Amino acid sequence: MAPKQQPRKQSTTVSRGARKRDEDSGTEVGEGTDEWAQSKATVRPPDQLELTDAELKEEFTRILTANNPHAPQNIVRYSFKEGTYKLIGFVNQLAVHYSQVGNLIPKDSDEGRRQHYRDELVAGSQESAKVTVSETELLEEEEGPKEAEAETGSQTDVPAAEAAEKVAEEELTTPKQPKERKLTNQFNFSERASQTFNNPLRDRECQMEPPPRTNFSATANQWEIYDAYVEELEKQEKTKEKEKTKTPVAKKMGKMAMRKTTSMESQSDDITKVTQAAKIVERMVNQNTYDDIAQGFKYYEDAADEYRDQEGTLLPLWKFQNDKAKRLAVTALCWNPKYKDLFAVGHGSYDFMKQSRGVLLLYSMKNPSFPEYIFSSDSGIMCLDIHVDHPYLVAVGHYDGNVAIYNLKKPHFQPAFRSSAKSGKHTDPVWQVKWQKDDMDNNLNFFSVSSDGRIVSWTLVKSELVHTDVIKLKVEGSTTEGLEGLQLHTVGCGTAFDFHKEIDYMFLVGTEEGKIYKCSKSYSSQFLDTYDAHNMAVDAVSWNPYHTKVFMSCSSDWTVKIWDHTIKTPMFIYDLNSAVGDVAWAPYSSTVFAAVTTDGKTHVFDLSINKYEAICNQPVVAKKKNKITHVQFNPIHPIIIVGDDRGHVTCLKLSPNLRKMPKVCALLCCEVAWSKEECPEGWLSPDWNKTRHDPTF
């Protein structure tokens, strides 16, 4: 037992000595380990903030977007469509950091097919080379035992064997080229025939009753032939007598009418059957031709009005002109009260030294290239008006003092009714005509005013025009005593008039002397009131369609004035720096009106926005020499028409700022000091129910 325990003690001593060595060696190897184990002191910059734990734990989120911060945001480009510089909203945010041109080729392309074909050829040649190498190795293994047998054989077979070996090696070393594949011919055509089944034909028949027939027979004796010739001679003599009584102008017109009727009769009757269809096709062609104008009329709104200071513009649309109205001025304009796209234009001349013919044209916005109706007259047309209840009746006043009524339903070109010297026509030009309500017997009647000082009421009784003098204009304070104590009055020359919208008997008359008379149908000897309005001739007078006490006048003295008929002084006076040819109230607002001047400009006012100046001053004619004579608002659409002294009529669309409806009932809250006069009753409460509610406004 003792000898067994001794080795254990040695092992323990050895283990303790090994531990000491390890510890000593460990201290030598691990020098510097304490330095890494020690905590290092952090070095802080002097300007670093000292934050609390809560502030350090607070999270700040940042949203990364794909927008390029260096991309410009204020690029402006010119818009040829709208004619202004516009800011471009979309900017390209793409930033390219790396790009490389690739060399990939689609498989279906021609180049891809060629490369694929070359790869197949190379792969086939490599496979053939591998096959030849494997075959040569097999032959060498087979030739080893054969050579031993050949040595024992005769030596005469050696050259033959060597030649055969060379041929075999050449065949094996040369690679076998694969056969080329033939591409299919895509244009290969093969004719094929097939037989189809033919459907049998069917016959359909119908039987109709034959038209009724009657047998007519008569004998023509000698005396019957003679009587027929005598009747024809009598007719010819009557026509000759009628032609003798006619004036030379009427003879010319009759000859022209005869020529037209004969030419129309010579043409086939098929033309008359397709007139309506031809008119529709003509309108379709015009709509396609002027498609951009039609689109602008229907949809275009001037977006620049949002940036203007309550100002507007006029967009030119169609221009109406006709060869028959060349060198004739536009003397009258009137919209049809029933057909809102139809308007009448009167052509004549304001120069009394150059008086010739006159033309009445009716245009439609559906066909701006040619008028719907054309009527010619011997004297110039100076005014016209269309009946409200009968929109096919057009009353016309001529330069020679006659008045006439044209019926659009009748095809002839002559007026249906016309005055004459016997029926009391005017002796001076008729400057304005107005339809009025029917009289007690339901007869149509209208009024006319002329430079001869007479205001005449014309009534249609059966087939005649019966006249009645309503009032004779006299210049106040101009009476002189003549021979035998006769009093002579200076005649006032009437130039324009307008009837009150609610009071039937009241109407206004403007004169060449610049005065405006308030008259009544019931009093023919005196005026209700007199206004010293202008220094030159009054060109137009118009009642406001909403305010019963307000009317407007314009004159060649460059001014437009707005009046209250209960006050003798004007409320507003506007100087337009040129002679004013015409004014018109807007049908959609009681504060909007338009005026045209001889310098070719159109002025649009809105008293609810600016009481001192126009919100639109725009020239609307091509040449400065052209003088604008008349203006009219369309009753529904936001457009106006203006006519000039060259016979042209231009249609213009109002921008949104020019057709605003008043938001406040107080329309004309003006700062004009009325002399001890308070605001009249009803002035601040207009009848808004009359406003035309239309989606275009």
Coordinates of all heavy atoms in Angstrom, one line a residue, residues 104-114 116:
L104 N -27.1 44.3 -73.4 CA -28.0 43.2 -73.5 C -28.8 43.4 -74.8 O -29.2 44.5 -75.2 CB -29.0 43.2 -72.4 CG -28.3 43.0 -71.0 CD1 -29.4 43.1 -69.9 CD2 -27.6 41.7 -70.9
I105 N -29.1 42.2 -75.5 CA -29.8 42.2 -76.7 C -31.0 41.3 -76.6 O -30.8 40.2 -76.0 CB -28.9 41.7 -77.9 CG1 -27.7 42.7 -78.0 CG2 -29.6 41.6 -79.2 CD1 -26.6 42.2 -79.0
P106 N -32.2 41.7 -77.0 CA -33.3 40.8 -76.9 C -33.1 39.5 -77.7 O -32.5 39.5 -78.8 CB -34.5 41.6 -77.4 CG -34.0 43.0 -77.3 CD -32.6 43.0 -77.4
K107 N -33.7 38.4 -77.2 CA -33.6 37.1 -77.9 C -34.3 37.2 -79.2 O -33.9 36.5 -80.2 CB -34.1 36.0 -77.1 CG -33.2 35.7 -75.8 CD -33.8 34.5 -75.1 CE -32.9 34.1 -73.9 NZ -33.5 33.0 -73.2
D108 N -35.4 37.9 -79.3 CA -36.3 37.8 -80.5 C -35.7 38.7 -81.6 O -36.2 38.6 -82.7 CB -37.7 38.3 -80.2 CG -38.3 37.3 -79.1 OD1 -37.9 36.2 -79.1 OD2 -39.2 37.8 -78.4
S109 N -34.7 39.5 -81.3 CA -34.2 40.4 -82.4 C -33.3 39.6 -83.3 O -32.9 38.5 -83.1 CB -33.4 41.6 -81.7 OG -32.3 41.1 -81.1
D110 N -33.0 40.3 -84.5 CA -32.2 39.6 -85.5 C -30.8 39.4 -85.0 O -30.2 38.3 -85.2 CB -32.1 40.5 -86.8 CG -33.5 40.6 -87.4 OD1 -34.3 39.7 -87.2 OD2 -33.7 41.6 -88.1
E111 N -30.2 40.4 -84.3 CA -28.9 40.2 -83.7 C -28.8 39.1 -82.7 O -27.9 38.3 -82.6 CB -28.4 41.5 -83.1 CG -26.9 41.5 -82.6 CD -25.9 41.3 -83.7 OE1 -26.3 41.6 -84.9 OE2 -24.8 40.8 -83.5
G112 N -29.9 39.0 -81.9 CA -29.9 37.9 -80.9 C -30.0 36.5 -81.5 O -29.3 35.6 -81.0
R113 N -30.7 36.4 -82.6 CA -30.8 35.1 -83.3 C -29.4 34.7 -83.9 O -29.0 33.6 -83.9 CB -31.9 35.2 -84.4 CG -33.3 35.2 -83.8 CD -34.3 35.5 -84.9 NE -35.6 35.6 -84.3 CZ -36.7 36.1 -85.0 NH1 -36.5 36.6 -86.2 NH2 -37.8 36.2 -84.4
R114 N -28.7 35.7 -84.5 CA -27.4 35.4 -85.1 C -26.4 35.0 -84.0 O -25.7 34.0 -84.2 CB -26.9 36.7 -85.7 CG -27.7 37.1 -87.0 CD -26.9 38.2 -87.8 NE -27.7 38.9 -88.7 CZ -28.3 40.1 -88.5 NH1 -28.0 40.7 -87.3 NH2 -29.1 40.6 -89.3
H116 N -27.1 33.6 -81.1 CA -27.5 32.2 -80.7 C -27.1 31.1 -81.7 O -26.6 30.1 -81.3 CB -29.1 32.2 -80.5 CG -29.6 30.9 -80.0 ND1 -29.3 30.5 -78.7 CD2 -30.4 30.0 -80.5 CE1 -29.9 29.3 -78.5 NE2 -30.6 29.0 -79.6

